Amino acid sequence: MKALEPQPANGDGHLALARESLRELLDDQRVPPPVRAALAEEYRQLQVLLEKIEHGHIHIAVFGRVSVGKSALLNALLGETRFSTSPLHGETTRATHARWQEYDAGGVFLIDTPGINEVSGETREQLAHDVASRSDLVMFVVDGDITDTELKALRQVKGAAQRLVLVLNKIDRYTQADRKLLLETLRRRSAGLIQPQDILTVAAQPAERIVILVDAEGNETETRRRPPADVTALRERIWDILKAEGKTMAALNAGLFAGRFSDRLTREIVVIRRGLADKVVRKYCLAKGVAVALNPIPVADILAAVATDAAMIVHLGRVYGLPINRVEAGALLKTIFTQLAFLMGTVWVMNLVAAALKGISLGLSTVVTAGAQGAVAWYGTYVVGRAAEQYFAQGKSWGEGGPKRVVQDILDSLDRESLLAQARDDILARLKPLL
């Protein structure tokens, strides 16, 4: 068993920082429950990664096309058959792993992955990518000159993996001259992706050879024998990498995973909050539209509208984790109203006219007029809600363009006639049983 030599102290420091980062993400109580539910699998992976670091484990994954000898390579490194090496394509259907007992520092695990070029293999390819992004070292295996498909995959893996070595397998099938040419070609085509010293040749499962045995009496017997695997150069290179960079690789890999997780978490929180905010806004739109339509006193309509909009803003602040009081909501509402009065003055005139008509109308005309006024109120609250949501989404800020730009952009993005028609239908559906 080969022991890893002591590593630089900064490796321990990097691991400590990575551990702290992962724990903070796992223990962050500010994450809404719906977001945690949506990212349940990512949280599980985060927990696995934290446990991996705490136990000092190193993960080494193998990556490549179907039948390049990935499983055979892992078996050769292990010195025993732990991974299937069936000649059938697609034998490895999910990531599997085994502990590499040759090391006695923490624990090194070798991980097999499905082939990257399977037909209709998007799920397998995504699985391989996920394994690569969580591995500390990836062995990208080819069995000849690298193809365009492999080169594309190599670039993708390079973006996901912290440390990468390129392995040319089945080297026993080539002459010395062909080996030299292949290595030169691989170095040239992988320039900028792989360091020359990280391109290794192996014969993980050499082809059988015919051997002539001669007994004591001179009788010849023909038999087939498979030469032993030749992975010495690769094994030594892996040892050197783990000695020099093992802890730092693990720390960097954890840091990158944490960064990607944090970005996904932020996006998911935004999506969840926007969904909740939209429900809140539409709830207040309908409540205000019905209240304004039912109230025959125009002045009371306006007061009810302001109170409803202020309550909606307070509610939106809670959705975005930025609570505000009624006074702050009133000030924010005044800012939005000022922009609406400037940009949308004719709508508010329509609102006042409809209010006056509602006070003198009778029968069905009252319902129709009330529905029209309620729809305008619904639309106004919708614009207010969208503007307030944008303000909270930007951390209680209007951004560089100020409130006027935010309100203008919202008005430009809306299909006013469609929204008013939707509002009228919703309000009339609520009003008819009451009037």
Side-chain angles (χ1 to χ4, degrees), residues 111-161:
I111 302 171
D112 198 6
T113 62
I116 61 174
N117 62 326
E118 281 293 315
V119 177
S120 302
E122 293 182 4
T123 300
R124 294 182 179 184
E125 189 167 342
Q126 182 61 48
L127 172 61
H129 181 275
D130 291 343
V131 171
S133 67
R134 295 195 300 274
S135 298
D136 306 301
L137 174 66
V138 174
M139 297 182 290
F140 194 104
V141 184
V142 296
D143 60 1
D145 186 11
I146 191 167
T147 66
D148 290 338
T149 299
E150 288 173 322
L151 192 57
K152 180 180 178 181
L154 180 63
R155 292 193 179 101
Q156 294 173 339
V157 177
K158 178 69 174 179

Side-chain angles (χ1 to χ4, degrees), residues 367-398:
V367 176
V368 174
T369 307
Q373 183 194 13
V376 172
W378 189 104
Y379 180 82
T381 291
Y382 187 78
V383 175
V384 169
R386 289 285 302 274
E389 180 190 354
Q390 185 73 6
Y391 174 78
F392 288 121
Q394 297 184 133
K396 296 176 109 174
S397 169
W398 290 113

Side-chain angles (χ1 to χ4, degrees), residues 277-278 281-282 285 309 312-314 316-317 320 322 324 329 331-341 343-344 348 378-399 402-414:
D278 185 66
V281 170
R282 290 182 179 275
C285 284
D309 289 346
M312 176 183 64
I313 289 174
V314 171
L316 286 172
Y320 277 90
L322 299 168
I324 62 174
L332 179 57
L333 186 58
K334 182 179 179 181
T335 298
I336 299 173
F337 274 167
T338 300
Q339 303 308 318
L340 284 174
L343 297 170
M344 223 175 103
W348 299 115
W378 189 104
Y379 180 82
T381 291
Y382 187 78
V383 175
V384 169
R386 289 285 302 274
E389 180 190 354
Q390 185 73 6
Y391 174 78
F392 288 121
Q394 297 184 133
K396 296 176 109 174
S397 169
W398 290 113
K404 180 179 178 181
R405 170 53 58 190
V406 170
V407 174
Q408 182 67 69
D409 288 346
I410 289 171
L411 292 175
D412 291 343
S413 69
L414 298 179

Side-chain angles (χ1 to χ4, degrees), residues 265-282:
L265 182 64
T266 299
R267 292 194 298 271
E268 195 67 30
I269 288 175
V270 168
V271 170
I272 294 292
R273 282 176 170 167
R274 282 178 178 170
L276 292 174
D278 185 66
K279 291 180 180 179
V280 168
V281 170
R282 290 182 179 275

Side-chain angles (χ1 to χ4, degrees), residues 299-319:
V299 175
D301 282 356
I302 296 174
L303 294 177
V306 172
T308 301
D309 289 346
M312 176 183 64
I313 289 174
V314 171
H315 198 157
L316 286 172
R318 291 199 298 268
V319 168

Side-chain angles (χ1 to χ4, degrees), residues 67-361:
S67 297
V68 294
K70 302 186 302 294
S71 300
L73 175 60
L74 295 181
N75 289 335
L77 289 171
L78 289 169
E80 59 179 303
T81 302
R82 296 285 297 277
F83 299 96
S84 174
T85 56
S86 168
L88 298 177
H89 277 202
E91 177 67 19
T92 303
T93 57
R94 61 186 179 85
T96 54
H97 69 275
R99 184 165 182 166
W100 197 0
Q101 300 293 344
E102 195 153 354
Y103 288 93
D104 63 1
V108 177
F109 291 84
L110 302 181
I111 302 171
D112 198 6
T113 62
I116 61 174
N117 62 326
E118 281 293 315
V119 177
S120 302
E122 293 182 4
T123 300
R124 294 182 179 184
E125 189 167 342
Q126 182 61 48
L127 172 61
H129 181 275
D130 291 343
V131 171
S133 67
R134 295 195 300 274
S135 298
D136 306 301
L137 174 66
V138 174
M139 297 182 290
F140 194 104
V141 184
V142 296
D143 60 1
D145 186 11
I146 191 167
T147 66
D148 290 338
T149 299
E150 288 173 322
L151 192 57
K152 180 180 178 181
L154 180 63
R155 292 193 179 101
Q156 294 173 339
V157 177
K158 178 69 174 179
Q162 262 308 291
R163 198 65 166 80
L164 192 62
V165 296
L166 180 59
V167 182
L168 173 58
N169 191 21
K170 304 180 182 179
I171 199 67
D172 56 298
R173 300 183 181 183
Y174 299 99
T175 65
Q176 287 294 338
D178 288 340
R179 294 182 189 184
K180 181 179 179 181
L181 180 60
L182 274 174
L183 281 174
E184 290 174 352
T185 303
L186 289 175
R187 290 178 186 130
R188 185 180 70 254
R189 300 199 67 189
S190 65
L193 299 173
I194 307 290
Q195 294 297 320
Q197 64 269 26
D198 289 333
I199 302 177
L200 293 308
T201 62
V202 300
Q205 192 176 34
E208 291 183 342
R209 297 177 182 176
I210 297 176
V211 178
I212 305 298
L213 301 178
V214 182
D215 60 22
E217 298 178 357
N219 298 315
E220 296 183 355
T221 303
E222 184 179 293
T223 186
R224 288 180 173 270
R225 289 185 179 178
R226 189 184 301 277
D230 181 8
V231 294
T232 302
L234 176 62
R235 179 186 291 111
E236 292 293 340
R237 183 58 188 153
I238 292 175
W239 287 346
D240 291 340
I241 291 173
L242 293 185
K243 289 176 188 177
E245 309 170 35
K247 289 184 179 180
T248 300
M249 285 193 313
L252 289 175
N253 184 57
L256 281 179
F257 186 87
R260 290 190 293 266
F261 176 85
S262 183
D263 290 343
R264 172 75 190 281
L265 182 64
T266 299
R267 292 194 298 271
E268 195 67 30
I269 288 175
V270 168
V271 170
I272 294 292
R273 282 176 170 167
R274 282 178 178 170
L276 292 174
D278 185 66
K279 291 180 180 179
V280 168
V281 170
R282 290 182 179 275
K283 181 182 76 173
Y284 279 94
C285 284
L286 185 58
K288 177 180 172 181
V290 171
V292 168
L294 284 174
N295 198 326
I297 305 174
V299 175
D301 282 356
I302 296 174
L303 294 177
V306 172
T308 301
D309 289 346
M312 176 183 64
I313 289 174
V314 171
H315 198 157
L316 286 172
R318 291 199 298 268
V319 168
Y320 277 90
L322 299 168
I324 62 174
N325 56 38
R326 290 276 180 173
V327 174
E328 292 173 314
L332 179 57
L333 186 58
K334 182 179 179 181
T335 298
I336 299 173
F337 274 167
T338 300
Q339 303 308 318
L340 284 174
F342 176 76
L343 297 170
M344 223 175 103
T346 55
V347 173
W348 299 115
V349 171
M350 288 171 57
N351 189 13
L352 292 176
V353 171
L357 288 174
K358 185 180 66 173
I360 60 174
S361 299

